Amino acid sequence: RHAQIPVIVITAHSDLDSAVAAYRSGAFEYLPKPFDIDEAIELVRKAARKNGHDHEPESGERSTMSSIIGQAPAMQEVFRSIGRLSGSSMTVLITGESGTGKELIARAVYQHSHRKHDCFLAVNCAALTETLLDSELFGHEKGAFTGADRRHVGKFEQCSEGTIFLDEIGDMSPLLQSKVLRLLQEQAFERVGGDKTIKTNARIISATNRDLEAMIEDNEFRLDLYHRINAFEIHLPPLRDRDDDLDLLINHFIRRLTRQLDKRVEGISEEALRLMRKYPWPGNVRELQSVVRRAILMSTGPVLVPENVQVILDGAKPAMEPVGDTTATAISDAPSAGLEQFVQQRLDAGSSDIYAETLEMMERSLITRILNETAGNQSKAAERLGITRGSLRNKIRSLGIMIEQVISAD
């Protein structure tokens, strides 16, 4: 009867689903309990000024997605942002440190949009060379380059009405930045080696852990592309700024990982929790999940105890960028034992994830060796390894490899 009246939803159910449901139902604003009374009064004033005309009710089924955990104020703002975007197809830029869960947020934006029944494709811009990324995004014609023995349909063509997630867009080359800019301006592109113009209506969600504004000042990223991909920005807070969420996340991972690993772990002791609360979590939520997983594998009882956690945290090292290239030294916590001995150790420990643990050990050992050979020069190390510099940088962070500069004087 009075659709113009703005509605503010106040709820104790402060999760992503309830935030999205409130906005999709036409709520003017969403306020989780407990709330500050001055904040509530300011919202009422704002609603009175706008008269609710900006928020028309929208029908649609409530998503069942509830895998994003967070009660910290910064995460509640992320939930609100996803809710505000639920009826829109605008481009979104997700920023935050490595390991904060940017792809999870991108998928949440997609799953709560009207494009949720169309495809979602993710591309890591740091993991591919310029030529491969060009072909992956835009496709190529037969004979476009050496090895192109047939036509390849790119992601923008495959997902014309869906959503494309460009992870680590800050690592995209200037040439590809220009092509993506043109696609956003004209909603059209050509395959590599082709002259046929192909139309697309794909929505782009981007993510980066780099400071794009600083890159713009250094002429490493296009200002016009930045404005195109940043119609709406969602910033993910680091885990160290989410004190209220650490216990929630630990218990969430225990419940989920015990099922995956077929272990009977029901919780964590208060002493072990205190150890984890003191740790700075440079690898954020991704590192936390890895620590919980390894602690579960090491556990012999129904509760994680300090001994399960301490040895893992002692071995963890925050990733650091080298100050200089010429005299850098790579340090790693890779096991010194040989492959056979390492596998035997994991067998003796009763591990049920030896494949992943062994690959991680070998990868850490290999990358550390090459970084030592190149004196910490990541560009040369990436070339020797046959991977992109962005991919190497991601591996350095995820594997906990620290690069320090050693300076000496005669």
Side-chain angles (χ1 to χ4, degrees):
R1 293 178 179 175
H2 304 285
Q4 77 279 8
I5 296 177
V7 175
I8 298 173
V9 175
I10 299 176
T11 176
H13 301 287
S14 53
D15 55 24
L16 175 57
D17 278 341
S18 59
V20 172
Y23 284 112
R24 290 183 69 86
S25 299
F28 173 79
E29 191 52 274
Y30 166 89
L31 192 61
K33 297 178 183 178
F35 60 86
D36 182 80
I37 190 65
D38 292 330
E39 181 185 0
I41 292 171
E42 182 55 35
L43 277 180
V44 172
R45 287 180 179 142
K46 191 184 296 183
R49 286 195 297 269
K50 290 197 172 185
N51 290 322
H53 290 307
D54 295 338
H55 295 262
E56 290 298 323
E58 180 180 330
S59 61
E61 294 183 4
R62 174 178 173 175
S63 170
T64 58
M65 178 182 174
S66 57
S67 60
I68 302 176
I69 306 297
Q71 290 185 352
M75 285 304 296
Q76 290 299 315
E77 184 56 39
V78 171
F79 293 171
R80 291 190 191 99
S81 296
I82 295 172
R84 294 182 185 115
L85 287 165
S86 62
S88 167
S89 287
M90 67 172 64
T91 59
V92 180
L93 176 64
I94 304 171
T95 60
E97 297 177 8
S98 286
T100 48
K102 293 186 288 295
E103 181 169 349
L104 193 62
I105 296 301
R107 291 183 180 275
V109 172
Y110 156 72
Q111 290 175 3
H112 289 96
S113 74
H114 62 267
R115 295 182 183 234
K116 64 183 179 181
H117 299 298
D118 295 304
C119 69
F120 176 94
L121 296 175
V123 181
N124 189 330
C125 300
L128 300 172
T129 63
E130 180 181 287
T131 301
L132 289 175
L133 183 58
D134 195 351
S135 174
E136 187 74 7
L137 292 177
F138 300 100
H140 64 254
E141 296 289 353
K142 180 179 180 181
F145 49 83
T146 303
D149 55 356
R150 59 181 176 177
R151 172 187 288 175
H152 172 67
V153 176
K155 294 288 192 288
F156 284 118
E157 191 172 351
Q158 293 175 38
C159 206
S160 179
E161 297 298 324
T163 302
I164 306 287
F165 174 52
L166 299 179
D167 197 9
E168 303 298 351
I169 195 170
D171 290 279
M172 186 177 282
S173 70
L175 173 62
L176 287 178
Q177 289 179 36
S178 300
K179 295 187 72 169
V180 172
L181 175 64
R182 186 205 163 205
L183 180 140
L184 285 167
Q185 290 172 334
E186 303 177 12
Q187 293 188 313
F189 65 95
E190 290 87 35
R191 298 191 192 103
V192 179
D195 54 10
K196 178 185 176 183
T197 299
I198 301 167
K199 291 288 185 180
T200 183
N201 188 34
R203 179 193 197 177
I204 293 181
I205 300 176
S206 309
T208 183
N209 57 18
R210 305 182 69 181
D211 186 344
L212 293 186
E213 293 183 359
M215 292 180 67
I216 291 167
E217 292 180 5
D218 295 335
N219 293 318
E220 295 178 354
F221 199 84
R222 295 184 62 121
L223 177 62
D224 44 7
L225 177 59
Y226 174 73
H227 289 308
R228 284 282 183 174
I229 63 173
N230 192 20
F232 193 100
E233 181 175 346
I234 298 176
H235 179 72
L236 272 179
L239 186 55
R240 61 183 173 273
D241 293 343
R242 298 174 55 188
D243 291 342
D244 298 342
D245 292 342
L246 186 62
D247 292 8
L248 282 175
L249 287 164
I250 290 170
N251 286 300
H252 167 73
F253 288 138
I254 289 174
R255 287 192 300 271
R256 197 178 78 187
L257 293 171
T258 48
R259 291 194 298 268
Q260 292 180 6
L261 301 173
D262 196 23
K263 297 275 286 187
R264 293 183 178 179
V265 175
E266 299 173 1
I268 182 169
S269 71
E270 188 59 37
E271 294 82 1
L273 266 178
R274 277 198 289 268
L275 286 174
M276 297 182 82
R277 288 172 188 147
K278 291 179 182 178
Y279 185 70
W281 301 109
N284 291 295
V285 179
R286 183 188 298 141
E287 182 183 16
L288 174 62
Q289 179 176 347
S290 176
V291 168
V292 173
R293 178 170 160 274
R294 292 168 66 186
I296 290 172
L297 288 170
M298 293 174 60
S299 68
T300 55
V303 176
L304 298 183
V305 295
E307 291 75 18
N308 301 143
V309 174
Q310 186 70 65
V311 65
I312 302 170
L313 297 182
D314 285 346
K317 299 179 185 295
M320 297 174 59
E321 290 290 327
V323 180
D325 282 331
T326 57
T327 56
T329 302
I331 301 174
S332 170
D333 61 339
S336 58
L339 177 60
E340 291 291 336
Q341 292 163 298
F342 177 79
V343 172
Q344 188 60 52
Q345 288 172 4
R346 301 314 303 145
L347 285 169
D348 294 342
S351 173
S352 60
D353 200 24
I354 294 176
Y355 179 76
E357 292 171 345
T358 305
L359 286 181
E360 181 180 327
M361 182 274 287
M362 292 190 298
E363 195 170 40
R364 183 185 292 111
S365 179
L366 170 64
I367 291 175
T368 301
R369 172 69 182 276
I370 299 303
L371 283 168
N372 275 312
E373 288 291 322
T374 62
N377 187 313
Q378 293 186 36
S379 297
K380 290 181 180 178
E383 185 178 346
R384 295 288 296 274
L385 289 164
I387 60 178
T388 66
R389 189 178 185 280
S391 181
L392 174 61
R393 185 170 58 248
N394 290 337
K395 289 181 182 296
I396 287 172
R397 291 193 184 101
S398 64
L399 294 170
I401 297 174
M402 182 169 62
I403 302 176
E404 294 179 335
Q405 186 181 35
V406 179
I407 301 174
S408 61
D410 293 331

